[in-house]
Amino acid sequence: SDSGSDSEDSELSDSELQEAFARGELKPGLNVVLEERPKRRNDTDGLKQCLAEFRQQLTWVERLDVTLGPVADPVSQNASTSDAVDPENDFQREMSFYRQAQAAVLEALPRLRKLQVPTRRPDDYFAEMAKSDQQMQKIRQKLKSKQEAMERSEKAKQLRAMRKYGKKVQVEILQRRQKEKKNMLNAVKKYQKGLTDKLDFLDEEQTSSQGNKKGNASQRTKKGPNAKRRYKNQKFGFGGKKKGSKWNTKESFNDVSSFQSKVAHNKGPGKGGRGGKGGKKALNKRPGKRARQKMKNRA
């Protein structure tokens, strides 16, 4: 019986909904559609009552409130027409706010001076910072560590760029050498097979190597020996092979005109015999160092 009654109620509700829809009383959507906008109410008495309830009877020094009406523009005040602020004009609206705030300040300052309330900050005014020195030190350390990290990153970036450039140059040199080697081998193969009878590639190789040597020699001559090397060259000579001025020739070997037997066999005048040491010293007396140097310079 309960199920039968539920089904009858549901059928009735469906029929009622259909009838309401046919009459146009049902509206689409879940929100309630209002036919007309509600009227605004300006309850002045209620607002004044609320103001009287929370108003506190305090002195002006405790409140410091200044209420003024709109202040006329001194420029347009000379004109005959009174200025009315256009709310759509941004500049005019902001200027009216500025003039009203300026008039409020001019009215409040004399009242504050009369009540002996200071309005200017003293010269020795000290305001404590919102953050402690410890907190500022942490911030400074953080900024310093960030800057050092940026510098390290920049240095690493430069090193990577330098390595990349060096590697690029090295690869180019290796490629050039491989290309030269390949050209040389191809030229040698052509010569071996009899395709060509020219050996110009060998001349080019020699001239290139000689050019490198000459370039190195010119660099060395430009640089020149240091002071120590120059002093040793002046003292001991340059060493190495001479011009061949002391070499014997056939004519010099056969020429015996300058041969002196007495001197050669130690029988010259003033000799003390075979065992005479004094005579030997007199004959084999070697000139001094300065004399030898002078003789060398003359030669």
Side-chain angles (χ1 to χ4, degrees):
S1 62
D2 295 335
S3 61
S5 62
D6 293 338
S7 61
E8 289 177 1
D9 293 338
S10 62
E11 289 176 0
L12 290 173
S13 61
D14 292 341
S15 61
E16 289 175 357
L17 288 173
Q18 290 174 0
E19 291 175 1
F21 180 74
R23 289 194 302 269
E25 296 178 357
L26 295 180
K27 302 294 182 181
L30 299 176
N31 297 329
V32 179
V33 180
L34 299 176
E35 296 297 335
E36 58 183 12
R37 298 179 65 180
K39 294 181 180 180
R40 295 180 179 177
R41 296 178 60 191
N42 187 10
D43 192 1
T44 309
D45 298 334
L47 292 174
K48 288 181 178 180
Q49 183 180 356
C50 292
L51 180 62
E53 288 177 358
F54 63 79
R55 174 180 289 176
Q56 295 179 354
Q57 298 297 328
L58 299 174
T59 59
W60 183 81
V61 181
E62 299 292 336
R63 291 182 286 110
L64 294 178
D65 57 340
V66 179
T67 306
L68 291 176
V71 182
D73 190 358
V75 178
S76 61
Q77 193 174 4
N78 299 331
S80 58
T81 58
S82 60
D83 57 336
V85 179
D86 184 11
E88 299 299 329
N89 190 346
D90 296 340
F91 180 75
Q92 192 177 4
R93 186 177 65 249
E94 294 296 329
M95 284 303 297
S96 65
F97 293 157
Y98 172 76
R99 287 195 303 272
Q100 189 172 357
Q102 189 177 18
V105 169
L106 293 176
E107 184 180 347
L109 278 176
R111 296 173 68 178
L112 289 171
R113 291 197 187 97
K114 188 176 180 181
L115 296 171
Q116 296 182 355
V117 177
T119 58
R120 295 181 63 85
R121 180 180 295 176
D123 297 334
D124 57 348
Y125 179 76
F126 177 76
E128 189 176 357
M129 293 181 65
K131 294 183 180 180
S132 62
D133 293 342
Q134 187 177 3
Q135 182 70 14
M136 294 302 295
Q137 192 69 19
K138 288 182 181 179
I139 295 171
R140 196 175 292 111
Q141 290 291 338
K142 189 174 181 180
L143 292 174
K144 187 178 179 182
S145 62
K146 189 180 292 185
Q147 186 178 2
E148 289 176 354
M150 289 175 65
E151 290 177 356
R152 285 196 300 269
S153 176
E154 190 67 25
K155 286 183 180 178
K157 194 181 293 182
Q158 291 178 359
L159 285 174
R160 283 197 298 271
M162 290 174 66
R163 288 198 196 100
K164 191 175 180 181
Y165 179 73
K167 194 173 182 181
K168 183 180 177 182
V169 172
Q170 189 177 6
V171 168
E172 288 178 357
I173 292 172
L174 290 174
Q175 288 178 354
R176 191 182 69 223
R177 287 179 181 173
Q178 288 177 359
K179 187 177 180 181
E180 292 175 357
K181 186 177 179 182
K182 187 177 180 181
N183 294 336
M184 174 69 71
L185 291 175
N186 291 335
V188 170
K189 285 180 181 178
K190 286 182 181 179
Y191 181 78
Q192 288 175 349
K193 291 179 180 179
L195 298 176
T196 180
D197 56 348
K198 296 180 181 179
L199 296 175
D200 298 339
F201 56 91
L202 294 177
D203 296 338
E204 292 176 0
E205 186 72 20
Q206 288 177 0
T207 51
S208 63
S209 62
Q210 286 176 1
N212 294 334
K213 288 180 181 178
K214 285 180 181 178
N216 296 335
S218 63
Q219 289 176 0
R220 285 196 296 271
T221 53
K222 281 180 182 178
K223 188 176 180 182
N226 55 11
K228 187 176 180 182
R229 183 71 263 168
R230 288 199 299 271
Y231 173 74
K232 286 189 176 182
N233 290 342
Q234 185 181 0
K235 184 177 180 181
F236 302 110
F238 292 89
K241 189 176 180 180
K242 304 302 179 192
K243 294 181 180 179
S245 60
K246 294 185 180 180
W247 285 4
N248 267 334
T249 61
K250 185 178 180 180
E251 289 78 10
S252 66
F253 179 76
N254 293 328
D255 185 13
V256 292
S257 60
S258 61
F259 178 73
Q260 298 179 7
S261 61
K262 295 180 180 181
V263 176
H265 299 292
N266 200 9
K267 292 181 179 179
K271 300 291 186 288
R274 180 173 274 186
K277 293 183 180 178
K280 207 170 189 179
K281 281 185 181 178
L283 274 176
N284 294 334
K285 185 178 180 182
R286 187 185 181 197
K289 184 175 180 180
R290 289 188 180 179
R292 290 199 312 273
Q293 189 69 32
K294 288 180 181 179
M295 290 167 63
K296 189 175 181 181
N297 292 337
R298 277 198 224 102

